[in-house]
């Protein structure tokens, strides 16, 4: 009897993956190239999610892939409590040189949440103070501590109480909501975040008990909210007045996403600790913090760490990612393509009152969908948002939503995207808005 020819086993049913992974498509992808994801059947999708802001250098950038392949053939795991490895040493040094001021010292971990945990632990141990202030609309992760900091949406935390204490939430300046529908955050913003913070200090916690204020320079998951220009500089002044550390969570805004390597540079603000992940290694799991060296020196040996932190292959990918960002001018491209997207979306929004706001910084761009004629004209429209997202998908464009009310479409193009791809995306979005009834 002749043996049957070997066949590729059929793919397991998608139900093997638990529903806790909420998901925007049913796509199985085979590979990625640049801004595109490709299915086994050869269907191509313009990936303007960048895997939630991760693949800033695009999918499978050859320089990053080569670095990963070369490193994987040499060493997969060189544990940080046991040995040093060359990619790690080079990356620690390189990261410390990325931000002016300092001097800086880096710490490497795996995920964004883990890096936020490191920042909070360092802030507490370095100051000897217990409390942390985070902002409404913020997202910092899904571990217990980072859930406690998060205030973007109920689903991220409400079912998981009790959460770690000594966490307080301040008001974030959400200009569109506060200022009667201003289209761009500017000096006319009427947000009273500073008065609210003052009230928090008088009603809930003494400022000299606060170790740190953690802030997303541009709110991500909570709705792509760009603050008015004075916000971060004033927050820096207030934190200095009270000896409170300022933690910038740049997990989503970092590595060129906003048109600066780190978003705090837009306002020339120097945080005490900066948290990074996502775009750092083009998709391999890696995260870290940058802290002023004298703070990092107060982290007692052994009080923090982890088996996989600073994985050697991830470090090689991060070094190659930084090469690509620098050599291909990706930060400048984020600025230019971001401007193209914003201009295009503003033109599209002109005769569509359901687009309440168009906003963004660099390639962190969003539209907020509302119900014109209902209430004050800014009632969130989550159903319309979903229809637009679906209509874009049907036309080959992958987009994510965001916002407390799920009524924001965020456009997270990879930083390598071309002017032609941005035009394609704008064309698809205009058509999808028509189809969805916006
Ligand atoms: C600003 C911010 N902080 C922290 C996190 C958590 O990162 P991770 O999902 O890698 O744990 C995210 C993830 O979206 C984020 O956007």
């Amino acid at each position: 009897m002749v043996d049957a020819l070997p066949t590729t086993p059929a793919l397991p049913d998608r139900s093997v993956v638990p529903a806790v992974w909420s998901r925007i498509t049913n796509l199985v992808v085979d590979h990625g190239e640049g801004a595109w994801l490709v299915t086994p059947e050869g269907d191509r999708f313009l990936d303007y999610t960048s895997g939630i802001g991760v693949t800033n250098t695009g999918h499978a950038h050859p320089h990053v892939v080569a670095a990963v392949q070369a490193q994987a053939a040499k060493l997969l795991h060189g544990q940080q409590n046991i040995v040093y490895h060359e990619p790690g040493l080079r990356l620690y040094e390189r990261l410390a040189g990325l931000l002016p001021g300092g001097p800086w010292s880096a710490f490497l971990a795996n995920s964004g949440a883990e890096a936020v945990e490191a920042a909070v632990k360092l802030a507490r141990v370095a100051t000897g103070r217990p409390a942390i202030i985070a902002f409404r609309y913020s997202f910092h992760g899904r571990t217990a501590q980072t859930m406690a900091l998060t205030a973007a949406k109920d689903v991220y935390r409400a079912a998981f109480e009790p959460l770690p204490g000594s966490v307080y939430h301040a008001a974030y300046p959400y200009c569109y909501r506060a200022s009667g529908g201003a289209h761009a955050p500017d000096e006319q913003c009427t947000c009273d975040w500073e008065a609210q913070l003052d009230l928090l200090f008088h009603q809930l916690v003494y400022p000299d008990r606060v170790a740190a204020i953690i802030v997303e320079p541009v709110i991500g998951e909570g709705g792509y909210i760009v603050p008015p220009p004075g916000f971060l500089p004033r927050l820096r002044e207030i934190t200095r007045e009270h000896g409170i550390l300022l933690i910038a969570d740049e997990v989503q805004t970092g590595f060129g996403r906003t048109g600066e390597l780190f978003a705090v540079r837009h306002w020339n603000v120097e945080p005490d600790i900066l948290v990074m992940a996502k775009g750092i290694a083009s998709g391999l799991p890696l995260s870290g913090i940058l802290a002023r060296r004298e703070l990092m020196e107060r982290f007692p040996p052994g009080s923090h760490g982890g088996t996989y932190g600073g994985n050697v292959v991830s470090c090689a990918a991060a070094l190659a990612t930084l090469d690509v960002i620098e050599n291909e001018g990706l930060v400048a491209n984020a600025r230019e393509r971001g401007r193209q997207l914003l201009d295009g979306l503003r033109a599209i929004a002109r005769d569509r009152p359901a687009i309440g706001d168009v906003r963004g910084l660099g390639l962190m761009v969003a539209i907020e969908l509302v119900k014109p004629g209902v209430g004050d004209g800014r009632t969130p429209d989550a159903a319309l948002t979903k229809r637009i997202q679906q209509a874009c998908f049907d036309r080959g464009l992958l987009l994510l939503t965001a916002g407390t009310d799920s009524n924001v479409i965020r456009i997270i193009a990879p930083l390598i995207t071309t002017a032609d791809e941005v035009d394609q995306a704008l064309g698809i979005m205009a058509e999808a808005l028509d189809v969805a009834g916006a």
Side-chain angles (χ1 to χ4, degrees), residues 93-105 248 250 260-266 268-276 289-292:
E93 183 186 57
R94 198 148 164 197
L95 291 175
L98 290 184
L99 207 58
W104 302 100
S105 176
E250 295 244 17
E260 287 280 354
L261 193 59
F262 293 110
V264 287
R265 300 293 303 137
H266 285 287
N268 285 320
V269 163
E270 188 181 323
D272 299 292
I273 304 174
L274 184 142
V275 186
M276 53 198 160
I289 64 172
L290 276 179
R292 280 189 290 110

PDB file of all heavy atoms in Angstrom, residues 93-105 248 250 260-266 268-276 289-292:
ATOM      1  N   GLU A  93      22.797  51.394  26.355  1.00  0.00           N
ATOM      2  CA  GLU A  93      23.556  52.616  26.103  1.00  0.00           C
ATOM      3  C   GLU A  93      22.812  53.526  25.106  1.00  0.00           C
ATOM      4  O   GLU A  93      22.697  54.733  25.317  1.00  0.00           O
ATOM      5  CB  GLU A  93      24.939  52.263  25.544  1.00  0.00           C
ATOM      6  CG  GLU A  93      25.803  53.498  25.338  1.00  0.00           C
ATOM      7  CD  GLU A  93      27.116  53.161  24.654  1.00  0.00           C
ATOM      8  OE1 GLU A  93      27.086  52.584  23.539  1.00  0.00           O
ATOM      9  OE2 GLU A  93      28.171  53.474  25.226  1.00  0.00           O
ATOM     10  N   ARG A  94      22.266  52.909  24.072  1.00  0.00           N
ATOM     11  CA  ARG A  94      21.624  53.711  23.020  1.00  0.00           C
ATOM     12  C   ARG A  94      20.357  54.389  23.530  1.00  0.00           C
ATOM     13  O   ARG A  94      20.090  55.554  23.233  1.00  0.00           O
ATOM     14  CB  ARG A  94      21.311  52.796  21.831  1.00  0.00           C
ATOM     15  CG  ARG A  94      21.059  53.561  20.570  1.00  0.00           C
ATOM     16  CD  ARG A  94      21.515  52.760  19.378  1.00  0.00           C
ATOM     17  NE  ARG A  94      20.953  53.291  18.154  1.00  0.00           N
ATOM     18  CZ  ARG A  94      20.910  52.623  17.026  1.00  0.00           C
ATOM     19  NH1 ARG A  94      21.411  51.398  16.959  1.00  0.00           N
ATOM     20  NH2 ARG A  94      20.393  53.170  15.948  1.00  0.00           N
ATOM     21  N   LEU A  95      19.563  53.648  24.309  1.00  0.00           N
ATOM     22  CA  LEU A  95      18.325  54.233  24.836  1.00  0.00           C
ATOM     23  C   LEU A  95      18.634  55.427  25.729  1.00  0.00           C
ATOM     24  O   LEU A  95      17.949  56.445  25.691  1.00  0.00           O
ATOM     25  CB  LEU A  95      17.521  53.185  25.627  1.00  0.00           C
ATOM     26  CG  LEU A  95      16.902  52.043  24.807  1.00  0.00           C
ATOM     27  CD1 LEU A  95      16.235  51.021  25.732  1.00  0.00           C
ATOM     28  CD2 LEU A  95      15.879  52.570  23.792  1.00  0.00           C
ATOM     29  N   ALA A  96      19.685  55.284  26.530  1.00  0.00           N
ATOM     30  CA  ALA A  96      20.028  56.367  27.468  1.00  0.00           C
ATOM     31  C   ALA A  96      20.407  57.654  26.739  1.00  0.00           C
ATOM     32  O   ALA A  96      20.370  58.735  27.329  1.00  0.00           O
ATOM     33  CB  ALA A  96      21.164  55.915  28.382  1.00  0.00           C
ATOM     34  N   GLY A  97      20.748  57.541  25.445  1.00  0.00           N
ATOM     35  CA  GLY A  97      21.133  58.725  24.682  1.00  0.00           C
ATOM     36  C   GLY A  97      19.994  59.305  23.847  1.00  0.00           C
ATOM     37  O   GLY A  97      20.197  60.249  23.091  1.00  0.00           O
ATOM     38  N   LEU A  98      18.782  58.758  23.969  1.00  0.00           N
ATOM     39  CA  LEU A  98      17.697  59.175  23.072  1.00  0.00           C
ATOM     40  C   LEU A  98      16.983  60.442  23.509  1.00  0.00           C
ATOM     41  O   LEU A  98      16.296  61.076  22.720  1.00  0.00           O
ATOM     42  CB  LEU A  98      16.650  58.052  22.945  1.00  0.00           C
ATOM     43  CG  LEU A  98      17.075  56.793  22.185  1.00  0.00           C
ATOM     44  CD1 LEU A  98      15.906  55.828  22.076  1.00  0.00           C
ATOM     45  CD2 LEU A  98      17.612  57.123  20.799  1.00  0.00           C
ATOM     46  N   LEU A  99      17.117  60.779  24.782  1.00  0.00           N
ATOM     47  CA  LEU A  99      16.362  61.913  25.323  1.00  0.00           C
ATOM     48  C   LEU A  99      17.347  62.948  25.837  1.00  0.00           C
ATOM     49  O   LEU A  99      18.285  62.596  26.563  1.00  0.00           O
ATOM     50  CB  LEU A  99      15.506  61.370  26.483  1.00  0.00           C
ATOM     51  CG  LEU A  99      14.207  62.083  26.855  1.00  0.00           C
ATOM     52  CD1 LEU A  99      13.259  62.150  25.675  1.00  0.00           C
ATOM     53  CD2 LEU A  99      13.537  61.339  28.023  1.00  0.00           C
ATOM     54  N   PRO A 100      17.143  64.240  25.478  1.00  0.00           N
ATOM     55  CA  PRO A 100      18.034  65.258  26.032  1.00  0.00           C
ATOM     56  C   PRO A 100      17.865  65.352  27.551  1.00  0.00           C
ATOM     57  O   PRO A 100      16.897  64.832  28.102  1.00  0.00           O
ATOM     58  CB  PRO A 100      17.557  66.555  25.366  1.00  0.00           C
ATOM     59  CG  PRO A 100      16.434  66.215  24.477  1.00  0.00           C
ATOM     60  CD  PRO A 100      16.094  64.777  24.629  1.00  0.00           C
ATOM     61  N   GLY A 101      18.770  66.030  28.194  1.00  0.00           N
ATOM     62  CA  GLY A 101      18.678  66.172  29.654  1.00  0.00           C
ATOM     63  C   GLY A 101      19.296  64.960  30.325  1.00  0.00           C
ATOM     64  O   GLY A 101      20.302  64.436  29.879  1.00  0.00           O
ATOM     65  N   GLY A 102      18.675  64.501  31.364  1.00  0.00           N
ATOM     66  CA  GLY A 102      19.201  63.329  32.064  1.00  0.00           C
ATOM     67  C   GLY A 102      20.289  63.683  33.047  1.00  0.00           C
ATOM     68  O   GLY A 102      20.182  64.719  33.692  1.00  0.00           O
ATOM     69  N   PRO A 103      21.397  62.907  33.179  1.00  0.00           N
ATOM     70  CA  PRO A 103      21.677  61.675  32.456  1.00  0.00           C
ATOM     71  C   PRO A 103      20.657  60.585  32.773  1.00  0.00           C
ATOM     72  O   PRO A 103      20.166  60.492  33.881  1.00  0.00           O
ATOM     73  CB  PRO A 103      23.078  61.286  32.943  1.00  0.00           C
ATOM     74  CG  PRO A 103      23.233  61.947  34.261  1.00  0.00           C
ATOM     75  CD  PRO A 103      22.404  63.183  34.212  1.00  0.00           C
ATOM     76  N   TRP A 104      20.414  59.762  31.727  1.00  0.00           N
ATOM     77  CA  TRP A 104      19.377  58.743  31.795  1.00  0.00           C
ATOM     78  C   TRP A 104      19.956  57.353  31.991  1.00  0.00           C
ATOM     79  O   TRP A 104      21.072  57.066  31.567  1.00  0.00           O
ATOM     80  CB  TRP A 104      18.537  58.755  30.512  1.00  0.00           C
ATOM     81  CG  TRP A 104      17.893  60.071  30.258  1.00  0.00           C
ATOM     82  CD1 TRP A 104      18.323  61.047  29.406  1.00  0.00           C
ATOM     83  CD2 TRP A 104      16.728  60.589  30.893  1.00  0.00           C
ATOM     84  NE1 TRP A 104      17.485  62.133  29.465  1.00  0.00           N
ATOM     85  CE2 TRP A 104      16.487  61.885  30.375  1.00  0.00           C
ATOM     86  CE3 TRP A 104      15.846  60.082  31.854  1.00  0.00           C
ATOM     87  CZ2 TRP A 104      15.420  62.664  30.779  1.00  0.00           C
ATOM     88  CZ3 TRP A 104      14.778  60.867  32.252  1.00  0.00           C
ATOM     89  CH2 TRP A 104      14.574  62.150  31.723  1.00  0.00           C
ATOM     90  N   SER A 105      19.137  56.523  32.601  1.00  0.00           N
ATOM     91  CA  SER A 105      19.489  55.121  32.748  1.00  0.00           C
ATOM     92  C   SER A 105      18.259  54.318  32.340  1.00  0.00           C
ATOM     93  O   SER A 105      17.131  54.677  32.696  1.00  0.00           O
ATOM     94  CB  SER A 105      19.857  54.859  34.212  1.00  0.00           C
ATOM     95  OG  SER A 105      20.105  53.505  34.423  1.00  0.00           O
ATOM     96  N   ALA A 248       6.086  59.943  32.084  1.00  0.00           N
ATOM     97  CA  ALA A 248       5.445  60.042  30.766  1.00  0.00           C
ATOM     98  C   ALA A 248       5.268  58.624  30.227  1.00  0.00           C
ATOM     99  O   ALA A 248       6.256  57.926  30.004  1.00  0.00           O
ATOM    100  CB  ALA A 248       6.304  60.872  29.825  1.00  0.00           C
ATOM    101  N   GLU A 250       4.885  56.731  27.343  1.00  0.00           N
ATOM    102  CA  GLU A 250       5.038  56.894  25.880  1.00  0.00           C
ATOM    103  C   GLU A 250       4.955  55.536  25.179  1.00  0.00           C
ATOM    104  O   GLU A 250       5.538  55.335  24.117  1.00  0.00           O
ATOM    105  CB  GLU A 250       6.365  57.599  25.575  1.00  0.00           C
ATOM    106  CG  GLU A 250       6.415  59.028  26.092  1.00  0.00           C
ATOM    107  CD  GLU A 250       6.541  60.060  24.968  1.00  0.00           C
ATOM    108  OE1 GLU A 250       6.278  59.715  23.808  1.00  0.00           O
ATOM    109  OE2 GLU A 250       6.902  61.212  25.296  1.00  0.00           O
ATOM    110  N   GLU A 260       7.815  63.230  16.658  1.00  0.00           N
ATOM    111  CA  GLU A 260       9.043  63.437  17.440  1.00  0.00           C
ATOM    112  C   GLU A 260       9.412  62.042  17.933  1.00  0.00           C
ATOM    113  O   GLU A 260       8.534  61.183  18.058  1.00  0.00           O
ATOM    114  CB  GLU A 260       8.813  64.353  18.654  1.00  0.00           C
ATOM    115  CG  GLU A 260       8.629  65.822  18.338  1.00  0.00           C
ATOM    116  CD  GLU A 260       9.946  66.557  18.089  1.00  0.00           C
ATOM    117  OE1 GLU A 260      11.025  65.961  18.265  1.00  0.00           O
ATOM    118  OE2 GLU A 260       9.873  67.728  17.684  1.00  0.00           O
ATOM    119  N   LEU A 261      10.686  61.800  18.252  1.00  0.00           N
ATOM    120  CA  LEU A 261      11.030  60.453  18.707  1.00  0.00           C
ATOM    121  C   LEU A 261      10.192  60.095  19.934  1.00  0.00           C
ATOM    122  O   LEU A 261       9.653  58.997  20.050  1.00  0.00           O
ATOM    123  CB  LEU A 261      12.529  60.353  19.008  1.00  0.00           C
ATOM    124  CG  LEU A 261      13.035  58.923  19.174  1.00  0.00           C
ATOM    125  CD1 LEU A 261      12.784  58.073  17.926  1.00  0.00           C
ATOM    126  CD2 LEU A 261      14.508  58.902  19.543  1.00  0.00           C
ATOM    127  N   PHE A 262      10.076  61.052  20.871  1.00  0.00           N
ATOM    128  CA  PHE A 262       9.144  60.899  21.994  1.00  0.00           C
ATOM    129  C   PHE A 262       8.261  62.143  22.044  1.00  0.00           C
ATOM    130  O   PHE A 262       8.742  63.267  21.811  1.00  0.00           O
ATOM    131  CB  PHE A 262       9.894  60.707  23.317  1.00  0.00           C
ATOM    132  CG  PHE A 262      10.632  59.397  23.374  1.00  0.00           C
ATOM    133  CD1 PHE A 262      12.022  59.364  23.334  1.00  0.00           C
ATOM    134  CD2 PHE A 262       9.943  58.195  23.428  1.00  0.00           C
ATOM    135  CE1 PHE A 262      12.709  58.150  23.354  1.00  0.00           C
ATOM    136  CE2 PHE A 262      10.614  56.979  23.440  1.00  0.00           C
ATOM    137  CZ  PHE A 262      12.007  56.953  23.405  1.00  0.00           C
ATOM    138  N   ALA A 263       6.993  61.951  22.392  1.00  0.00           N
ATOM    139  CA  ALA A 263       6.024  63.051  22.276  1.00  0.00           C
ATOM    140  C   ALA A 263       6.347  64.212  23.216  1.00  0.00           C
ATOM    141  O   ALA A 263       6.044  65.363  22.889  1.00  0.00           O
ATOM    142  CB  ALA A 263       4.618  62.527  22.560  1.00  0.00           C
ATOM    143  N   VAL A 264       6.958  63.934  24.375  1.00  0.00           N
ATOM    144  CA  VAL A 264       7.269  65.044  25.298  1.00  0.00           C
ATOM    145  C   VAL A 264       8.122  66.118  24.631  1.00  0.00           C
ATOM    146  O   VAL A 264       8.111  67.271  25.061  1.00  0.00           O
ATOM    147  CB  VAL A 264       7.986  64.547  26.591  1.00  0.00           C
ATOM    148  CG1 VAL A 264       7.022  63.815  27.509  1.00  0.00           C
ATOM    149  CG2 VAL A 264       9.211  63.703  26.268  1.00  0.00           C
ATOM    150  N   ARG A 265       8.846  65.753  23.556  1.00  0.00           N
ATOM    151  CA  ARG A 265       9.709  66.711  22.868  1.00  0.00           C
ATOM    152  C   ARG A 265       8.899  67.820  22.182  1.00  0.00           C
ATOM    153  O   ARG A 265       9.421  68.898  21.923  1.00  0.00           O
ATOM    154  CB  ARG A 265      10.585  65.991  21.821  1.00  0.00           C
ATOM    155  CG  ARG A 265      11.499  64.928  22.364  1.00  0.00           C
ATOM    156  CD  ARG A 265      12.607  65.495  23.243  1.00  0.00           C
ATOM    157  NE  ARG A 265      13.396  66.478  22.542  1.00  0.00           N
ATOM    158  CZ  ARG A 265      13.814  67.635  23.051  1.00  0.00           C
ATOM    159  NH1 ARG A 265      13.514  67.952  24.291  1.00  0.00           N
ATOM    160  NH2 ARG A 265      14.527  68.482  22.323  1.00  0.00           N
ATOM    161  N   HIS A 266       7.637  67.550  21.874  1.00  0.00           N
ATOM    162  CA  HIS A 266       6.812  68.609  21.266  1.00  0.00           C
ATOM    163  C   HIS A 266       6.701  69.815  22.183  1.00  0.00           C
ATOM    164  O   HIS A 266       6.503  70.934  21.730  1.00  0.00           O
ATOM    165  CB  HIS A 266       5.388  68.095  20.981  1.00  0.00           C
ATOM    166  CG  HIS A 266       5.297  67.181  19.804  1.00  0.00           C
ATOM    167  ND1 HIS A 266       5.407  67.610  18.502  1.00  0.00           N
ATOM    168  CD2 HIS A 266       5.112  65.840  19.732  1.00  0.00           C
ATOM    169  CE1 HIS A 266       5.285  66.578  17.678  1.00  0.00           C
ATOM    170  NE2 HIS A 266       5.112  65.490  18.404  1.00  0.00           N
ATOM    171  N   ASN A 268       8.968  70.313  24.831  1.00  0.00           N
ATOM    172  CA  ASN A 268      10.243  70.464  25.545  1.00  0.00           C
ATOM    173  C   ASN A 268      10.118  70.166  27.029  1.00  0.00           C
ATOM    174  O   ASN A 268      10.683  70.880  27.864  1.00  0.00           O
ATOM    175  CB  ASN A 268      10.805  71.873  25.360  1.00  0.00           C
ATOM    176  CG  ASN A 268      11.378  72.026  23.976  1.00  0.00           C
ATOM    177  OD1 ASN A 268      12.025  71.104  23.476  1.00  0.00           O
ATOM    178  ND2 ASN A 268      11.117  73.155  23.349  1.00  0.00           N
ATOM    179  N   VAL A 269       9.346  69.150  27.344  1.00  0.00           N
ATOM    180  CA  VAL A 269       9.167  68.766  28.743  1.00  0.00           C
ATOM    181  C   VAL A 269      10.067  67.572  29.042  1.00  0.00           C
ATOM    182  O   VAL A 269      10.129  66.626  28.260  1.00  0.00           O
ATOM    183  CB  VAL A 269       7.684  68.411  29.017  1.00  0.00           C
ATOM    184  CG1 VAL A 269       7.532  67.625  30.309  1.00  0.00           C
ATOM    185  CG2 VAL A 269       6.854  69.691  29.072  1.00  0.00           C
ATOM    186  N   GLU A 270      10.778  67.658  30.169  1.00  0.00           N
ATOM    187  CA  GLU A 270      11.639  66.545  30.570  1.00  0.00           C
ATOM    188  C   GLU A 270      10.983  65.804  31.733  1.00  0.00           C
ATOM    189  O   GLU A 270      10.892  66.339  32.835  1.00  0.00           O
ATOM    190  CB  GLU A 270      13.007  67.079  31.000  1.00  0.00           C
ATOM    191  CG  GLU A 270      14.011  65.983  31.237  1.00  0.00           C
ATOM    192  CD  GLU A 270      15.375  66.525  31.688  1.00  0.00           C
ATOM    193  OE1 GLU A 270      15.803  67.589  31.198  1.00  0.00           O
ATOM    194  OE2 GLU A 270      15.980  65.870  32.559  1.00  0.00           O
ATOM    195  N   PRO A 271      10.499  64.584  31.483  1.00  0.00           N
ATOM    196  CA  PRO A 271       9.899  63.825  32.588  1.00  0.00           C
ATOM    197  C   PRO A 271      11.005  63.271  33.492  1.00  0.00           C
ATOM    198  O   PRO A 271      12.187  63.363  33.152  1.00  0.00           O
ATOM    199  CB  PRO A 271       9.175  62.693  31.876  1.00  0.00           C
ATOM    200  CG  PRO A 271       9.965  62.477  30.622  1.00  0.00           C
ATOM    201  CD  PRO A 271      10.561  63.806  30.241  1.00  0.00           C
ATOM    202  N   ASP A 272      10.627  62.704  34.627  1.00  0.00           N
ATOM    203  CA  ASP A 272      11.618  62.025  35.471  1.00  0.00           C
ATOM    204  C   ASP A 272      11.783  60.577  35.022  1.00  0.00           C
ATOM    205  O   ASP A 272      12.860  60.001  35.137  1.00  0.00           O
ATOM    206  CB  ASP A 272      11.178  62.070  36.939  1.00  0.00           C
ATOM    207  CG  ASP A 272      11.063  63.494  37.422  1.00  0.00           C
ATOM    208  OD1 ASP A 272      12.113  64.157  37.534  1.00  0.00           O
ATOM    209  OD2 ASP A 272       9.934  63.970  37.645  1.00  0.00           O
ATOM    210  N   ILE A 273      10.663  60.017  34.553  1.00  0.00           N
ATOM    211  CA  ILE A 273      10.673  58.633  34.065  1.00  0.00           C
ATOM    212  C   ILE A 273       9.849  58.599  32.776  1.00  0.00           C
ATOM    213  O   ILE A 273       8.783  59.223  32.710  1.00  0.00           O
ATOM    214  CB  ILE A 273      10.043  57.659  35.097  1.00  0.00           C
ATOM    215  CG1 ILE A 273      10.759  57.756  36.448  1.00  0.00           C
ATOM    216  CG2 ILE A 273      10.070  56.221  34.581  1.00  0.00           C
ATOM    217  CD1 ILE A 273      10.120  56.933  37.567  1.00  0.00           C
ATOM    218  N   LEU A 274      10.371  57.900  31.768  1.00  0.00           N
ATOM    219  CA  LEU A 274       9.632  57.757  30.512  1.00  0.00           C
ATOM    220  C   LEU A 274       9.433  56.259  30.258  1.00  0.00           C
ATOM    221  O   LEU A 274      10.372  55.476  30.366  1.00  0.00           O
ATOM    222  CB  LEU A 274      10.414  58.412  29.374  1.00  0.00           C
ATOM    223  CG  LEU A 274       9.733  58.437  28.013  1.00  0.00           C
ATOM    224  CD1 LEU A 274      10.031  59.762  27.297  1.00  0.00           C
ATOM    225  CD2 LEU A 274      10.183  57.281  27.128  1.00  0.00           C
ATOM    226  N   VAL A 275       8.187  55.883  29.954  1.00  0.00           N
ATOM    227  CA  VAL A 275       7.863  54.464  29.741  1.00  0.00           C
ATOM    228  C   VAL A 275       7.742  54.205  28.246  1.00  0.00           C
ATOM    229  O   VAL A 275       7.093  54.975  27.533  1.00  0.00           O
ATOM    230  CB  VAL A 275       6.528  54.097  30.422  1.00  0.00           C
ATOM    231  CG1 VAL A 275       6.285  52.588  30.327  1.00  0.00           C
ATOM    232  CG2 VAL A 275       6.506  54.552  31.869  1.00  0.00           C
ATOM    233  N   MET A 276       8.362  53.105  27.785  1.00  0.00           N
ATOM    234  CA  MET A 276       8.306  52.821  26.344  1.00  0.00           C
ATOM    235  C   MET A 276       8.053  51.339  26.085  1.00  0.00           C
ATOM    236  O   MET A 276       8.386  50.499  26.924  1.00  0.00           O
ATOM    237  CB  MET A 276       9.602  53.264  25.680  1.00  0.00           C
ATOM    238  CG  MET A 276      10.831  52.720  26.322  1.00  0.00           C
ATOM    239  SD  MET A 276      12.247  53.704  25.789  1.00  0.00           S
ATOM    240  CE  MET A 276      13.403  53.324  27.069  1.00  0.00           C
ATOM    241  N   ILE A 289      11.925  51.400  30.643  1.00  0.00           N
ATOM    242  CA  ILE A 289      11.768  52.769  31.126  1.00  0.00           C
ATOM    243  C   ILE A 289      13.122  53.458  31.005  1.00  0.00           C
ATOM    244  O   ILE A 289      14.174  52.813  31.002  1.00  0.00           O
ATOM    245  CB  ILE A 289      11.277  52.845  32.598  1.00  0.00           C
ATOM    246  CG1 ILE A 289      12.286  52.240  33.582  1.00  0.00           C
ATOM    247  CG2 ILE A 289       9.922  52.180  32.762  1.00  0.00           C
ATOM    248  CD1 ILE A 289      11.927  52.462  35.049  1.00  0.00           C
ATOM    249  N   LEU A 290      13.034  54.775  30.866  1.00  0.00           N
ATOM    250  CA  LEU A 290      14.208  55.627  31.021  1.00  0.00           C
ATOM    251  C   LEU A 290      13.955  56.411  32.291  1.00  0.00           C
ATOM    252  O   LEU A 290      12.876  56.990  32.449  1.00  0.00           O
ATOM    253  CB  LEU A 290      14.321  56.617  29.868  1.00  0.00           C
ATOM    254  CG  LEU A 290      14.976  56.180  28.580  1.00  0.00           C
ATOM    255  CD1 LEU A 290      14.939  57.330  27.570  1.00  0.00           C
ATOM    256  CD2 LEU A 290      16.424  55.770  28.837  1.00  0.00           C
ATOM    257  N   ALA A 291      14.915  56.427  33.196  1.00  0.00           N
ATOM    258  CA  ALA A 291      14.762  57.232  34.412  1.00  0.00           C
ATOM    259  C   ALA A 291      16.037  58.021  34.604  1.00  0.00           C
ATOM    260  O   ALA A 291      17.118  57.600  34.153  1.00  0.00           O
ATOM    261  CB  ALA A 291      14.523  56.333  35.617  1.00  0.00           C
ATOM    262  N   ARG A 292      15.908  59.177  35.264  1.00  0.00           N
ATOM    263  CA  ARG A 292      17.124  59.897  35.592  1.00  0.00           C
ATOM    264  C   ARG A 292      18.022  58.950  36.386  1.00  0.00           C
ATOM    265  O   ARG A 292      17.550  58.214  37.255  1.00  0.00           O
ATOM    266  CB  ARG A 292      16.807  61.162  36.393  1.00  0.00           C
ATOM    267  CG  ARG A 292      16.346  62.297  35.488  1.00  0.00           C
ATOM    268  CD  ARG A 292      16.242  63.616  36.221  1.00  0.00           C
ATOM    269  NE  ARG A 292      15.130  63.617  37.156  1.00  0.00           N
ATOM    270  CZ  ARG A 292      15.248  63.599  38.483  1.00  0.00           C
ATOM    271  NH1 ARG A 292      16.439  63.583  39.055  1.00  0.00           N
ATOM    272  NH2 ARG A 292      14.175  63.599  39.245  1.00  0.00           N
TER     273      ARG A 292
END
